[in-house]
Amino acid sequence: MQTGLNIAAGLTLAALAATGAGAREAPPKQVLMPEDAGARAFQEEVGYSEAVIHGDTIYLSGVVAGPLEGEEGMEPAFTRVFDHLTRTLERLGATWDDVLVFDTFHQGPMGPQLDALVPVKNRYIKAPFPAWTAVGVTELYEPTALVEIRLTVRNPAAGEE
């Protein structure tokens, strides 16, 4: 894997047949943790990674968006989230072109959120577009969040092995 990434080795998975015949070790799962010490401590306490790299796929944990005090509308929150996701993709050696799946989870009326989300998304995501599923939910982990964005990404480093 590329040097300079904040990636820690994770668990090694084994595919074992009951008889042991044909058993082989799967490639190790790797994780990406936040560079920020406070965010890393939180994720370690709660027990999740910013991203999991396994084979040719990278799974990014959801990133929440909500307006800060005094902000009008959701556009500034979405810009913060997309900037954060861009930095995470860069740390993984990926770009928005590598995004395969773009999932959004919306608390509250979805229409106004999508009206604010789409113009921001379109500044980052260009054709050919990833698959996108927008889901309405009753609650998100962060109480002030209105939207959570999760990505599934092609691992560009997988072709280098």
Side-chain angles (χ1 to χ4, degrees):
M1 189 117 280
Q2 298 178 354
T3 59
L5 295 180
N6 188 6
I7 297 176
L11 301 173
T12 300
L13 305 175
L16 299 175
T19 63
R24 67 178 187 90
E25 191 172 305
K29 171 180 82 172
Q30 296 178 313
V31 299
L32 179 75
M33 297 300 286
E35 294 177 312
D36 176 75
R40 183 181 183 116
F42 172 77
Q43 287 185 5
E44 287 175 350
E45 179 183 331
V46 174
Y48 74 97
S49 302
E50 191 162 20
V52 173
I53 304 111
H54 187 63
D56 63 356
T57 308
I58 303 169
Y59 306 89
L60 274 69
S61 291
V63 179
V64 296
L68 297 177
E69 188 174 331
E71 286 182 342
E72 294 289 325
M74 287 291 292
E75 185 174 341
F78 289 135
T79 299
R80 278 191 300 279
V81 167
F82 276 87
D83 287 347
H84 173 84
L85 290 168
T86 298
R87 289 188 303 275
T88 302
L89 289 169
E90 289 170 351
R91 290 175 60 215
L92 292 161
T95 69
W96 284 102
D97 290 337
D98 295 307
V99 174
L100 303 171
V101 179
F102 175 79
D103 291 325
T104 57
F105 303 89
H106 302 262
Q107 180 179 350
M110 196 180 299
Q113 292 174 6
L114 292 174
D115 290 345
L117 172 66
V118 169
V120 176
K121 175 189 74 64
N122 289 345
R123 292 196 307 252
Y124 295 83
I125 298 177
K126 307 292 183 196
F129 302 108
W132 178 13
T133 300
V135 179
V137 299
T138 58
E139 188 174 18
L140 295 170
Y141 183 83
E142 171 58 45
T144 61
L146 297 176
V147 177
E148 186 163 346
I149 299 173
R150 177 180 68 186
L151 305 178
T152 304
V153 181
R154 181 184 69 83
N155 183 1
E160 299 172 4
E161 297 171 0

